[in-house]
Amino acid sequence: MEFILSILIGVLFTAAVYLILSRSLLKVILGTGLLSHGAHLLILTMGGLGGSAPPVLIDGITDFADPLPQALILTAIVISFGVTAVILVMAYRMYAVHQTDNMNELRGNDEHD
Amino acid sequence: MEFVLLIFLPVIFALFVPLAYKRIKGIHTGWFVLLVPLVLFGYYAGFLPLVMDGGHAISELQWIPSLGIVFTSYIDGLSLLFTLLITGIGSLVVLYSVFYMDSKKENLGSFYVYLLIFMTAMLGVVQSDNTMTLYLFWELTSISSFLLIGFWYTKDKSRFGALKSMMITVFGGLMMLGGFILLNIMGGTFSIRELIAQAPELANQPYFMLALVLILLGAFTKSAQFPFYIWLPDAMEAPTPVSAYLHSATMVKAGIYLVARFTPIFGSSSVWIWLVTGIGLLTLFWGSFFAVKQTDLKAILAFSTVSQLGLIMSLLGAGAISYHTTAAIFSFATYAAIFHLINHATFKGGLFMIAGIIDHETGTRDIRKLGGLMSIMPISFTVALIGSLSMAGLPPFNGFLSKEMFLESMAALQHFELYNFDTWGILFPIVAWIASVFTFTYSLYFVLKTFIGQKKFEQLPKQPHEAPIGMLAAPMILASLVIIIFFIPNLVGKWIIKPAVMAVQPTLYASPSAVDIHVKAWHGFGSVGLWLTVGVIVFGTLLYLTIPKWQPFYRIQPDRLSLNAGYDALMRGSERGMNRVSRLYMTGKIRTYLLYMFAFLSVSIIAVLFIKDAFIVDMNSFAAITLYGVLNGLVLLLSVGFVVFAKSRLAAIIALGGVGYSVALFFVIFKAPDLALTQLVIETVSVALFLLAFKHLPALQTHGETASHKVVNLIVSLSVGVMVTLVALSSHSQKLIPSISQYYKDTVATEAGGGNIVNVILVDYRGFDTLFEIAVLAIAGIAVLGMIRLRVSRKEPTDENK
């Protein structure tokens, strides 16, 4: 299973990086979304996909899934949500002010060269 | 008393100079400053009897004991000679500057502060026995010289000259530091005396040659040797007392001092002999040849200084031969070098002061406008004539003695049968002799064109008249020294030169009196020097008389092929080249930078994986493949494809939602209920947020991305994906230590009293993570609110941006 997941994560990263390298601001944000999904799955996979029960104490069951990666991912999900929200609003404001979503045109002032 | 503290006397006194300058307006500040070099000269002269007997004095002040860095004042023959030069000429220069620098027009406070800093730096250079403090003072001379050259900082030329000298001397200084560090690595000490004691062992060390070349670079840049002499003529923009002091008598001799001081360590090497002698002679010839080209009085003197420094340098190189042969003539060369060093300081200091006086009294230093000043400025003329004839090497002036010794040493070089000297050695006396002819010519050129000939007073900015006696006092003292030394050369030799020679070649002599040299003005008709001197006078006079005929030949050399043009091209070129390079890779586009980062990351990690043989896949540790897992994987793949290839933004957002939900399904499949729950909720909220924001954003556009761009993007993103997959597989296959999670599983009920292990980890075992994750959310909320609510209009460009 880890083999399949590793390839899926690779695909997610490829797609994410491809989108991030594009010129459209929207695609860049979509790319960051894919990137965080890939990272979360990566953490989960690295913890090991074995384990026959969720990590909740129930009498008689000892083969839990690893709880630590799950806790880490939970934190990461919330943080990436916060960051995504900020980026979205930032993109919205940027478009409102500069009237463009072309990354090539968002280059700062020439005076600072 | 610890006399090492005296090194710092000038710089401490400098603290009070601005006070005196501000408070006491009636008296020229220079009079107070004059006390310092006079007191120091008197004090250090007291060491003469000690040093004459071959003794030395040392005083130490710990600075960084753990690194072995100590301020030392080590007085032996060589450092005492330089110390007396620095303080003696220093007194005369301060006296001269009192009359030269106008207390109403010039900022004397800064002038004397810089000058005193320089004096401390110079004393430190010549008295330091510790290479690190020697380097410290060495750079301090560069900095104070920079400040003094740029003293009239409103003039472009002053700033240019100051920068040029700074760049070149600091370059050399840094090279020298490298040499000192190598010496420390080889010898294990910073102390020069201890290094000299280990000299025979050092010569076999691997870094020996590198240290030699680096230290010589330091000496050659400071002492204006070929091809680094180019800063010296530009340094003539400094006030004349500065030129007289720094750029003829003291600072430019720091390199000479360095070579002399390190001769006991490096002198036995043939590279040292060849480099020091060869570069010295080349500089001597080059400087004397181009001096006749100059039209500015100070430029003539600058080139002449360059050439005389080359002369002293070549003599020091020839002196090092005495390590290989017992022929007395080569220890004679060291004696001649030090003798000429003293002579040069006396006559060149005087000549600079005269050039300053001419500038002061006529308003110009251009030799084409001057002439016939003899009758108007008789005292200046006399002093200038004495200085020039001494420089030319005529009796009865001290330059004659040392020049004759120089010619004899050079003539002896061809008889030295080591390192190819017997084949090439004949060149040395020839080059030296031609250079002496040019020296004779420019000496006459300097003094005669200025003082004799046509009177062209109507061209002068000022009506010329004789300088005040105060201004003439210092050059007159120097000129009388020029004559006195001619008549008592052996007294000077006994008191100063022999102890110095012993310091340069400590292994050869037991005491200064063992240096068996007696200087005579007359060697009889059989001596080589006499006939060479006669030849110099004859040909030099001929050359001088025909100057108008051959001076135009200098114009054959185009300006752009000169060394100065080379320096300018280097400075401009490096600035432009660096600018071009940084513009090449700093495009300002985020895509470019991301490409660098991603490409570097993936390539380096993949390379490390395979170079270190770290890529191992261990299928046994993997969990079994399940049907649900495979199906969900296919859903995920499809959604990712939709996100990437969607033509409309709505489709892309929904496909992104699909990715999120299938990730949540993976969480369900892999037994992570809390994650699945959170992921579902957050994905829903995110999609809503995306839809909300995208309503205000434009439709998906390609913005004219070309196919080649896309191919590059694809290659880089594929390599990142492959990198992640490879790292994931191999790291999962090589777990070195068991997970810590067993501890959580065992203690979650007993220690924390909970059943849901993930939740207990979040709020109990690792509660801090959660606290700051909450903080992140709060900050994100505030940021979102702020960005939506704040309506700051675009500001007009401020002045800063214009």
Side-chain angles (χ1 to χ4, degrees):
Chain A
M1 204 68 231
E2 277 90 344
F3 192 76
I4 296 175
L5 258 287
S6 295
I7 290 174
L8 272 181
I9 292 161
V11 171
L12 273 171
F13 269 84
T14 308
V17 171
Y18 184 77
L19 286 174
I20 288 174
L21 289 175
S22 74
R23 283 192 191 172
S24 160
L25 183 56
L26 314 186
K27 287 191 178 176
V28 174
I29 299 174
L30 289 171
T32 57
L34 288 183
L35 198 68
S36 52
H37 286 317
H40 299 159
L41 279 183
L42 184 63
I43 301 175
L44 192 73
T45 313
M46 290 300 96
L49 297 176
S52 56
V56 179
L57 284 189
I58 299 169
D59 285 340
I61 296 175
T62 50
D63 186 18
F64 302 124
D66 196 338
L68 189 58
Q70 296 191 12
L72 298 182
I73 296 169
L74 200 61
T75 312
I77 289 175
V78 176
I79 289 176
S80 66
F81 169 71
V83 173
T84 307
V86 170
I87 293 179
L88 271 174
V89 177
M90 208 155 26
Y92 158 70
R93 275 306 298 264
M94 190 120 86
Y95 186 67
V97 174
H98 295 289
Q99 294 301 320
T100 179
D101 72 327
N102 185 347
M103 298 300 285
N104 266 15
E105 290 171 15
L106 298 169
R107 283 180 58 187
N109 289 336
D110 279 341
E111 285 91 350
H112 293 298
D113 277 353
Chain B
M1 191 188 77
E2 288 289 331
F3 58 87
V4 60
L5 293 173
L6 279 184
I7 292 179
F8 300 99
L9 179 72
V11 84
I12 292 167
F13 191 84
L15 295 176
F16 302 101
V17 166
L19 205 71
Y21 176 61
K22 286 261 153 55
R23 289 290 155 86
I24 308 169
K25 288 285 181 197
I27 307 171
H28 195 284
T29 319
W31 288 119
F32 304 113
V33 177
L34 185 57
L35 283 174
V36 178
L38 276 181
V39 166
L40 287 176
F41 184 81
Y43 180 81
Y44 284 117
F47 283 103
L48 273 175
L50 171 77
V51 170
M52 250 167 72
D53 295 333
H56 62 81
I58 187 158
S59 156
E60 289 187 339
L61 180 69
Q62 291 288 337
W63 183 25
I64 312 177
S66 56
L67 297 179
I69 296 177
V70 193
F71 284 114
T72 47
S73 173
Y74 175 67
I75 307 269
D76 66 351
L78 189 65
S79 52
L80 184 64
L81 155 69
F82 274 91
T83 304
L84 291 180
L85 271 183
I86 293 160
T87 49
I89 307 252
S91 317
L92 295 176
V93 161
V94 172
L95 174 68
Y96 175 74
S97 71
V98 167
F99 294 91
Y100 187 85
M101 305 292 281
D102 193 325
S103 63
K104 292 190 183 65
K105 290 180 196 152
E106 308 285 4
N107 183 5
L108 290 176
S110 330
F111 180 77
Y112 285 112
V113 168
Y114 302 156
L115 205 67
L116 286 168
I117 293 176
F118 172 78
M119 208 176 281
T120 282
M122 212 50 220
L123 286 175
V125 165
V126 299
Q127 296 185 2
S128 284
D129 180 54
N130 190 289
T131 48
M132 288 300 115
T133 52
L134 170 56
Y135 172 72
L136 174 85
F137 288 119
W138 185 277
E139 293 297 30
L140 198 56
T141 62
S142 294
I143 292 168
S144 49
S145 162
F146 170 79
L147 291 169
L148 284 166
I149 297 170
F151 180 67
W152 288 312
Y153 54 83
T154 48
K155 289 200 298 181
D156 281 342
K157 277 181 141 184
S158 295
R159 294 199 304 270
F160 175 77
L163 184 66
K164 191 171 181 178
S165 72
M166 180 88 157
M167 295 300 279
I168 294 178
T169 53
V170 167
F171 160 76
L174 281 174
M175 295 297 116
M176 189 186 78
L177 177 64
F180 286 165
I181 291 171
L182 286 179
L183 274 182
N184 176 253
I185 292 172
M186 291 187 290
T189 173
F190 286 124
S191 162
I192 298 172
R193 279 177 306 150
E194 289 170 23
L195 286 169
I196 290 175
Q198 311 178 17
E201 296 97 68
L202 286 179
N204 301 320
Q205 296 269 3
Y207 295 136
F208 179 75
M209 209 45 76
L210 188 58
L212 185 158
V213 171
L214 287 177
I215 288 178
L216 271 189
L217 267 178
F220 285 172
T221 49
K222 199 72 159 184
S223 277
Q225 297 294 295
F226 185 88
F228 305 111
Y229 72 87
I230 50 173
W231 65 267
L232 189 61
D234 282 313
M236 292 302 128
E237 293 304 323
T240 302
V242 174
S243 307
Y245 189 36
L246 275 69
H247 305 127
S248 78
T250 54
M251 190 182 83
V252 288
K253 297 210 166 90
I256 305 271
Y257 168 79
L258 197 71
V259 168
R261 184 53 94 195
F262 280 86
T263 295
I265 297 179
F266 295 115
S268 54
S269 149
S270 63
V271 178
W272 175 271
I273 297 172
W274 265 107
L275 273 180
V276 177
T277 318
I279 297 282
L281 263 187
L282 179 61
T283 313
L284 163 66
F285 172 74
W286 194 275
S288 62
F289 180 68
F290 282 101
V292 194
K293 180 188 179 184
Q294 311 304 321
T295 52
D296 178 44
L297 286 185
K298 278 174 85 175
I300 301 173
L301 291 177
F303 274 90
S304 124
T305 303
V306 169
S307 119
Q308 305 274 320
L309 290 169
L311 187 158
I312 300 171
M313 200 63 100
S314 66
L315 278 174
L316 282 176
I321 294 180
S322 57
Y323 283 99
H324 299 279
T325 172
T326 46
I329 189 75
F330 294 113
S331 51
F332 187 74
T334 309
Y335 188 95
I338 289 163
F339 192 24
H340 195 71
L341 185 124
I342 298 170
N343 295 346
H344 178 250
T346 52
F347 66 69
K348 191 54 66 69
L351 285 178
F352 264 110
M353 290 174 186
I354 293 299
I357 287 173
I358 292 168
D359 188 16
H360 211 266
E361 304 306 334
T362 65
T364 182
R365 299 196 311 250
D366 192 330
I367 203 159
R368 289 166 299 189
K369 293 183 188 160
L370 295 165
L373 290 173
M374 184 174 70
S375 54
I376 294 175
M377 304 167 76
I379 304 176
S380 308
F381 170 67
T382 315
V383 173
L385 192 68
I386 293 171
S388 295
L389 293 183
S390 176
M391 184 157 76
L394 287 188
F397 309 108
N398 57 9
F400 169 73
L401 300 174
S402 45
K403 183 61 83 54
E404 197 150 75
M405 292 166 87
F406 163 68
L407 289 172
E408 284 187 16
S409 306
M410 287 297 130
L413 268 180
Q414 53 181 316
H415 304 304
F416 176 51
E417 290 169 353
L418 251 184
Y419 312 133
N420 295 329
F421 266 95
D422 37 356
T423 31
W424 296 101
I426 188 69
L427 280 176
F428 287 84
I430 295 176
V431 173
W433 184 79
I434 298 176
S436 304
V437 173
F438 276 105
T439 306
F440 188 87
T441 310
Y442 74 66
S443 302
L444 291 189
Y445 175 65
F446 174 79
V447 69
L448 298 185
K449 290 276 179 203
T450 315
F451 288 100
I452 297 192
Q454 239 183 329
K455 294 191 172 79
K456 293 176 272 190
F457 296 159
E458 67 287 348
Q459 290 182 23
L460 298 177
K462 281 186 195 170
Q463 191 55 38
H465 52 81
E466 184 61 285
I469 192 69
M471 207 189 263
L472 281 167
M476 278 160 70
I477 293 172
L478 286 171
S480 40
L481 275 177
V482 166
I483 300 175
I484 291 169
I485 292 176
F486 175 81
F487 287 107
I488 52 157
N490 291 310
L491 200 60
V492 178
K494 188 179 161 209
W495 281 13
I496 298 175
I497 304 175
K498 286 184 181 177
V501 170
M502 198 194 118
V504 178
Q505 297 171 326
T507 50
L508 300 182
Y509 305 109
S511 74
S513 47
V515 182
D516 184 24
I517 291 160
H518 190 79
V519 182
K520 291 178 293 201
W522 178 249
H523 296 276
F525 288 109
S527 86
V528 197
L530 177 73
W531 294 110
L532 286 175
T533 307
V534 170
V536 164
I537 295 170
V538 172
F539 280 91
T541 316
L542 273 179
L543 268 181
Y544 172 72
L545 292 175
T546 52
I547 278 182
K549 290 206 170 54
W550 56 272
Q551 208 179 22
F553 284 112
Y554 282 118
R555 290 192 213 118
I556 292 173
Q557 184 208 21
D559 275 343
R560 63 191 164 79
L561 285 182
S562 65
L563 282 168
N564 280 317
Y567 168 84
D568 292 342
L570 188 71
M571 298 304 281
R572 264 203 317 273
S574 58
E575 202 178 300
R576 277 191 202 155
M578 288 302 120
N579 200 345
R580 206 169 290 162
V581 168
S582 53
R583 274 178 190 279
L584 200 68
Y585 72 92
M586 307 260 293
T587 59
K589 293 175 187 165
I590 191 158
R591 172 178 172 266
T592 327
Y593 304 139
L594 286 170
L595 273 182
Y596 299 150
M597 289 187 230
F598 284 131
F600 172 77
L601 207 66
S602 57
V603 168
S604 59
I605 290 182
I606 292 175
V608 168
L609 267 185
F610 286 97
I611 290 169
K612 293 281 173 193
D613 271 335
F615 181 63
I616 297 161
V617 179
D618 175 19
M619 289 288 188
N620 297 327
S621 67
F622 291 172
I625 297 174
T626 60
L627 180 63
Y628 290 128
V630 174
L631 284 179
N632 194 35
L634 286 177
V635 173
L636 185 70
L637 267 184
L638 273 177
S639 331
V640 170
F642 266 113
V643 176
V644 175
F645 296 110
K647 290 277 176 249
S648 84
R649 53 197 169 130
L650 203 62
I653 293 165
I654 290 171
L656 187 65
V659 175
Y661 288 128
S662 68
V663 168
L665 266 182
F666 267 125
F667 291 152
V668 172
I669 292 169
F670 296 129
K671 312 287 187 284
D674 298 293
L675 286 189
L677 206 63
T678 317
Q679 178 69 26
L680 280 174
V681 174
I682 293 246
E683 201 53 41
T684 313
V685 179
S686 293
V687 170
L689 204 64
F690 265 85
L691 289 173
L692 206 68
F694 274 39
K695 185 171 170 286
H696 298 281
L697 290 175
L700 279 182
Q701 287 162 354
T702 56
H703 296 301
E705 264 181 299
T706 59
S708 65
H709 268 155
K710 286 185 178 171
V711 170
V712 173
N713 291 357
L714 187 65
I715 293 171
V716 170
S717 50
L718 263 178
S719 76
V720 171
V722 169
M723 180 269 287
V724 172
T725 304
L726 293 182
V727 169
L729 285 174
S730 58
S731 62
H732 191 274
S733 304
Q734 306 175 68
K735 283 190 177 158
L736 299 177
I737 45 172
S739 167
I740 194 178
S741 299
Q742 195 54 46
Y743 169 77
Y744 294 133
K745 292 173 191 169
D746 292 343
T747 60
V748 66
T750 53
E751 298 284 331
N756 185 332
I757 308 178
V758 173
N759 288 0
V760 172
I761 290 176
L762 281 175
V763 297
D764 194 327
Y765 291 116
R766 302 174 58 93
F768 268 120
D769 287 0
T770 313
L771 176 65
F772 291 110
E773 161 197 340
I774 294 168
V776 168
L777 264 193
I779 292 167
I782 295 167
V784 166
L785 187 72
M787 275 192 287
I788 291 177
R789 290 284 292 277
L790 275 179
R791 294 273 172 216
V792 183
S793 61
R794 277 186 90 181
K795 281 181 188 160
E796 292 299 309
T798 55
D799 286 335
E800 194 189 7
N801 287 339
K802 273 175 189 167

